[in-house]
Amino acid sequence: MEELLVYVLLLYEELVTENEYHKRLDELFLNNPENDDLLYLEWETDLKKAIIYVRTHIDYKNLDIEQFGKILMNKLKVVYVNCSDIKCFASRMYRLWENLPVNLQNIEPFWTLCYADDPLSWGDVQQTRSIYEHMLDYYTEIDGQNIGC
């Protein structure tokens, strides 16, 4: 469910398309057709209801934070690379942070979504980019060594 949570959060913020969500849901269901949650979501045609279903059926206390974070950062890398307006990206990242589960908001790398745009207030685009790029690479670095994707 961690992956679906990423997709519904990004879908809610219009950072992935409905087609991307449905394609990934189909793949997950085909890999695990016995999963009742995936079956329900396959049949749910109302996207808002699907988003609510995922948000309310996640066990946030047992959420695999590392898996969730890796998936989220990989999806955000694509958005970042394809976004030419850093101010627009920053605005969307702050809204994403606001919609994260409360138990994730104040831990890294998710906390970065809240403050990375601060240098933009004094015109420091490079520092903002640097902060975001460090966040996006959070799971690819171990002890300062880049391990790649």
Side-chain angles (χ1 to χ4, degrees), residues 1 5 7 20 25-26 31-32 34 45 52 56 68 79 86-87 89 91 96 99 106 114 124-125 132 148:
M1 286 290 275
L5 180 58
Y7 272 83
E20 288 175 274
L25 174 60
D26 292 345
N31 290 332
N32 193 0
E34 302 300 318
T45 58
I52 291 169
T56 57
F68 173 84
V79 175
I86 191 67
K87 290 179 183 177
F89 180 81
S91 174
L96 176 62
N99 285 305
N106 295 325
C114 174
D124 194 341
V125 171
Y132 279 127

Side-chain angles (χ1 to χ4, degrees), residues 125-140:
V125 171
Q126 187 54 44
Q127 185 175 5
T128 294
R129 287 192 177 283
S130 177
I131 294 169
Y132 279 127
E133 289 166 11
H134 179 73
M135 174 196 74
L136 294 171
D137 287 336
Y138 185 86
Y139 292 100
T140 60

Side-chain angles (χ1 to χ4, degrees), residues 7-9 11-12 21 41 44 46-56:
Y7 272 83
V8 300
L9 288 169
L11 185 60
Y12 184 76
Y21 162 76
L41 292 167
E44 181 56 70
D46 184 330
L47 200 54
K48 288 181 182 180
K49 286 182 180 178
I51 291 170
I52 291 169
Y53 182 88
V54 172
R55 297 288 312 250
T56 57

Side-chain angles (χ1 to χ4, degrees), residues 66-101:
E66 187 171 338
Q67 180 187 13
F68 173 84
K70 285 179 180 179
I71 296 165
L72 180 62
M73 293 307 137
N74 283 332
K75 296 302 288 179
L76 290 180
K77 281 180 188 179
V78 174
V79 175
Y80 178 76
V81 167
N82 292 311
C83 185
S84 60
D85 183 351
I86 191 67
K87 290 179 183 177
C88 178
F89 180 81
S91 174
R92 297 176 103 182
M93 293 305 99
Y94 184 79
R95 286 194 312 267
L96 176 62
W97 175 79
E98 290 179 311
N99 285 305
L100 285 176

